[in-house]
Amino acid sequence: MTKPTPEYLLTEIAAEVADQLIPADVEEASKGQRGKQSQNLPFSLFVKTVEQAPIAISITDKKANILYINDAFTSVTGYKASEILGMNESKLSDKSTPRQVYYDLWHTISRKKVWHGQLVNRKKQGQRYLADLTIAPMLNEKGDISHFIGMHRDVTQTHNAEQLVTNQKQLIESVINASPVAMVVLDEKKKVVLDNQMYKMLISELDKNEPALFFLDALEPDMGDLWNDSDRKRGFANYEVRVEGVGRRGTRWFSCSGNWFTESDSCADNFFVKQSRDYLLLSINDISLQRRQQEHMQIQALRTVLAEEEHIRSIRETLLGAMHQICQPLNQINAAIQIMAQRNEVSNKPLQDLLGQVQLMGAETLKTLQNCVPEIPETAVVPVNVNQLLHEVMLLYSNKFLANGIIVDWLPNPVLPSILGSANKLRMSFKQLIDNCVNAMNRAGSHERMIKIITAVDNDWVNVSIADTGPGIPQNQRNKVFEPFFTTHGMGEVQAGMGLVMVKEIVTQHNGMIGIDPNYQKGCCVNLSFPVCPKNITSVNGYE
């Protein structure tokens, strides 16, 4: 039989159990009252407290020989009192626990201090389990250690769950970091909560503190406010963002995709009333290499298309010019016929008839020429990026710039919202304006040969300015240059005088504005403005 447990020892055990079961702040507040309260409680209550405590309790002598266990100890370990009393606590030990842990344990409790930690123990049936253990020394009236009390829980399942969460977190972080795509998670306040190595590289490459915010701002003109648009929270994929002039790499293209997910709030305040938070997983894929390869092939195709369009435009302007030249003498003949008719002189009758025949033949000729004028084919009207179109035109002109010794000062806005229009027509208009710049500088023999191209955003308008260092346009001719067949130089060319007319027509079709900057003094500067594409528009069949 085991020796009965002294009353003072059960009192101290109950106090230690209370330390384990009562929250720290409550326990601290009641510490001063504990001794006084214990004198008013019956001894049997302390015994029942230890026996019924929902934590495994064992009492040992100074050599760790077990003197007492409660029912919870049996539930955790499988050992009954008759099987374990008198045995050493090492009966529960497993070799997988490092010796250093036991050394620290004994070193702590031998100095009359409480030890808390985790051990790998074995149950009676041999299964290993993780024990969350607290051992406290029990002191007698003299203050010497007389016994030890051990209290432990089986935390194997809790540890497994925590480890599973940790492993999943590490797995997710490893997968994200191994991704060749920049990935970042943002909360509802647009604060970055998780990112990967590729995203960190973008911070230095784009010279942005938070590239994610930069790309979200770039997407907003086309997609609206992602956080306040419930429809957009279904996610989006492959939205391209073009970034101009990024360091040595020049223009870069990124494909952005976003997926929303919801996480339950872990705050204690929301334990009973569930609250959730929305997060955005933003993927940013650098597709610059693919786009440059596509651009190279596209430029080759554009050369062919623009050559055909240039040929058609040349024929149109030639025919229209011829019609214009024919109309002038026909108008004079018509005036002469009307004068003769008013005079009604018989002697002029043969001449009047002859002029009438000439007029009819001229009218038939004009009609024939009109029927021969080729129509410009209509193209799809879709959201287009002006920076992209200007960039393509400059690539097409790269050889011409080199041959004429022209420097291009390209100052694009880093990110432009799209405009709604025909890509081919807009390219044609930009090409015509650059043609005018080159021709003007060549005619004037300008020593400084520079073309400056600037794009900018002003509220809901995309602005473009194309300037040269040529002779400029006299102030009294700036309005006339947009009139048909007006030119600032000689009429040596049949096509002269129709280029800016065509440009203005295209700009007007795009609901835009065009004009010559009166304050530009170094040559000629043409300013164009186009309305920003309405949100959620992908294409339309024609112009308004």
Side-chain angles (χ1 to χ4, degrees):
M1 293 180 62
T2 59
K3 187 177 179 180
T5 305
E7 181 177 337
Y8 82 89
L9 189 56
L10 284 176
T11 302
E12 290 297 327
I13 291 171
E16 286 298 328
V17 173
D19 287 343
Q20 294 293 312
L21 300 180
I22 300 175
D25 54 348
V26 177
E27 189 272 336
E28 184 66 26
S30 63
K31 185 179 291 184
Q33 302 295 326
R34 185 180 298 155
K36 185 176 180 180
Q37 291 174 354
S38 63
Q39 296 175 0
N40 300 325
L41 296 176
F43 172 73
S44 60
L45 181 59
F46 290 102
V47 175
K48 291 180 180 179
T49 299
V50 175
E51 289 177 345
Q52 298 179 18
I55 185 172
I57 298 175
S58 62
I59 303 171
T60 71
D61 59 20
K62 292 191 293 184
K63 295 183 178 180
N65 295 315
I66 300 174
L67 306 177
Y68 170 84
I69 63 170
N70 67 350
D71 293 341
F73 186 95
T74 300
S75 298
V76 172
T77 66
Y79 287 103
K80 298 179 181 178
S82 59
E83 298 171 326
I84 197 70
L85 293 182
M87 298 287 186
N88 195 275
E89 284 279 4
S90 60
K91 178 78 172 177
L92 302 175
S93 300
D94 186 84
K95 293 181 180 180
S96 59
T97 302
R99 288 182 176 273
Q100 183 63 38
V101 176
Y102 291 112
Y103 174 81
D104 292 340
L105 184 159
W106 279 103
H107 182 70
T108 301
I109 62 178
S110 298
R111 294 162 61 194
K112 301 179 182 180
K113 294 183 179 181
V114 176
W115 182 88
H116 176 261
Q118 288 76 38
L119 301 176
V120 178
N121 282 351
R122 276 185 180 271
K123 296 185 178 184
K124 177 182 176 182
Q125 292 79 8
Q127 305 99 318
R128 291 187 180 90
Y129 70 97
L130 185 64
D132 183 72
L133 173 64
T134 298
I135 300 178
M138 299 288 98
L139 308 181
N140 58 21
E141 293 84 349
K142 297 180 180 180
D144 297 328
I145 297 174
S146 61
H147 298 80
F148 294 106
I149 176 174
M151 292 166 284
H152 78 273
R153 295 184 177 90
D154 182 353
V155 294
T156 306
Q157 291 184 353
T158 303
H159 171 73
N160 289 342
E162 291 176 351
Q163 194 61 44
L164 180 62
V165 171
T166 301
N167 291 343
Q168 289 179 339
K169 182 175 181 290
Q170 291 177 347
L171 177 62
I172 292 171
E173 290 178 350
S174 298
V175 170
I176 290 177
N177 278 325
S179 172
V181 176
M183 304 178 75
V184 58
V185 176
L186 300 100
D187 62 15
E188 293 175 324
K189 296 180 180 180
K190 299 183 181 181
K191 181 180 179 181
V192 174
V193 297
L194 179 66
D195 58 16
N196 66 352
Q197 295 299 321
M198 292 299 294
Y199 179 80
K200 290 181 173 65
M201 290 175 61
L202 284 181
I203 296 176
S204 59
E205 291 179 0
L206 300 181
D207 194 22
K208 306 289 182 184
N209 292 331
E210 283 299 351
L213 301 182
F214 170 77
F215 283 103
L216 289 176
D217 289 342
L219 291 171
E220 187 169 338
D222 293 331
M223 301 186 61
D225 189 347
L226 296 173
W227 264 261
N228 295 326
D229 191 341
S230 58
D231 291 336
R232 288 294 180 187
K233 289 196 174 182
R234 291 178 296 184
F236 56 93
N238 301 325
Y239 272 75
E240 283 195 18
V241 174
R242 177 189 173 97
V243 183
E244 300 291 343
V246 184
R248 296 180 179 179
R249 297 193 179 188
T251 302
R252 295 175 70 180
W253 291 262
F254 296 90
S255 176
C256 298
S257 300
N259 292 289
W260 291 93
F261 64 92
T262 301
E263 182 181 72
S264 298
D265 195 339
S266 59
C267 179
D269 296 341
N270 299 320
F271 182 79
F272 292 104
V273 180
K274 299 299 182 182
Q275 297 288 338
S276 60
R277 294 181 179 178
D278 291 331
Y279 293 87
L280 174 64
L281 172 60
L282 180 64
S283 301
I284 307 167
N285 187 17
D286 188 345
I287 58 172
S288 300
L289 180 60
Q290 299 95 305
R291 292 293 281 112
R292 287 193 182 97
Q293 292 173 344
Q294 293 174 5
E295 186 180 70
H296 177 72
M297 293 185 290
Q298 185 179 6
I299 290 299
Q300 301 304 318
L302 278 177
R303 291 185 192 277
T304 303
V305 171
L306 289 179
E308 293 176 357
E309 291 181 351
E310 182 71 22
H311 182 62
I312 293 174
R313 188 171 72 90
S314 176
I315 295 173
R316 281 177 57 85
E317 292 186 2
T318 300
L319 293 175
L320 291 173
M323 292 168 63
H324 178 72
Q325 296 295 325
I326 293 173
C327 282
Q328 290 180 351
L330 282 180
N331 291 335
Q332 295 174 355
I333 291 172
N334 185 52
I337 292 174
Q338 290 178 357
I339 292 172
M340 291 179 181
Q342 291 174 357
R343 291 179 178 179
N344 197 21
E345 296 178 358
V346 178
S347 60
N348 292 331
K349 183 65 175 174
L351 179 58
Q352 185 177 352
D353 293 340
L354 179 61
L355 291 177
Q357 293 177 10
V358 172
Q359 185 185 34
L360 289 174
M361 293 177 62
E364 291 178 359
T365 301
L366 285 176
K367 185 177 181 180
T368 301
L369 291 174
Q370 182 65 51
N371 292 333
C372 292
V373 175
E375 294 292 333
I376 298 178
E378 290 295 331
T379 55
V381 179
V382 296
V384 294
N385 186 290
V386 171
N387 279 345
Q388 173 71 23
L389 300 180
L390 284 166
H391 177 70
E392 291 170 354
V393 173
M394 286 188 289
L395 286 178
L396 290 170
Y397 266 78
S398 57
N399 292 334
K400 191 170 185 177
F401 291 147
L402 290 173
N404 289 275
I406 294 174
I407 298 173
V408 178
D409 190 6
W410 171 228
L411 300 173
N413 196 72
V415 176
L416 276 186
S418 299
I419 70 169
L420 194 62
S422 165
N424 283 345
K425 288 188 175 182
L426 288 169
R427 284 193 205 96
M428 191 183 302
S429 63
F430 296 145
K431 180 178 178 296
Q432 180 62 51
L433 291 174
I434 292 176
D435 260 335
N436 289 354
C437 293
V438 175
N439 293 335
M441 288 186 289
N442 285 341
R443 286 196 311 272
S446 303
H447 295 291
E448 183 183 4
R449 306 169 70 80
M450 177 181 292
I451 297 177
K452 180 180 288 187
I453 303 175
I454 302 173
T455 62
V457 182
D458 183 11
N459 294 325
D460 292 331
W461 291 84
V462 171
N463 298 326
V464 180
S465 68
I466 300 176
D468 60 50
T469 54
I473 299 175
Q475 185 173 357
N476 62 344
Q477 297 181 358
R478 288 175 182 170
N479 291 327
K480 295 181 180 180
V481 294
F482 296 106
E483 296 176 1
F485 304 106
F486 179 85
T487 179
T488 58
H489 55 90
M491 293 295 294
E493 299 178 11
V494 180
Q495 303 176 22
M498 291 299 291
L500 287 178
V501 176
M502 179 267 294
V503 172
K504 185 175 182 179
E505 181 183 354
I506 291 174
V507 173
T508 302
Q509 288 176 346
H510 288 78
N511 299 318
M513 297 179 291
I514 184 172
I516 296 175
D517 188 349
N519 300 318
Y520 189 77
Q521 302 297 325
K522 295 182 178 180
C524 178
C525 177
V526 178
N527 294 327
L528 305 96
S529 297
F530 301 95
V532 171
C533 176
K535 296 174 183 176
N536 303 324
I537 295 293
T538 57
S539 66
V540 296
N541 293 326
Y543 298 99
E544 293 182 356

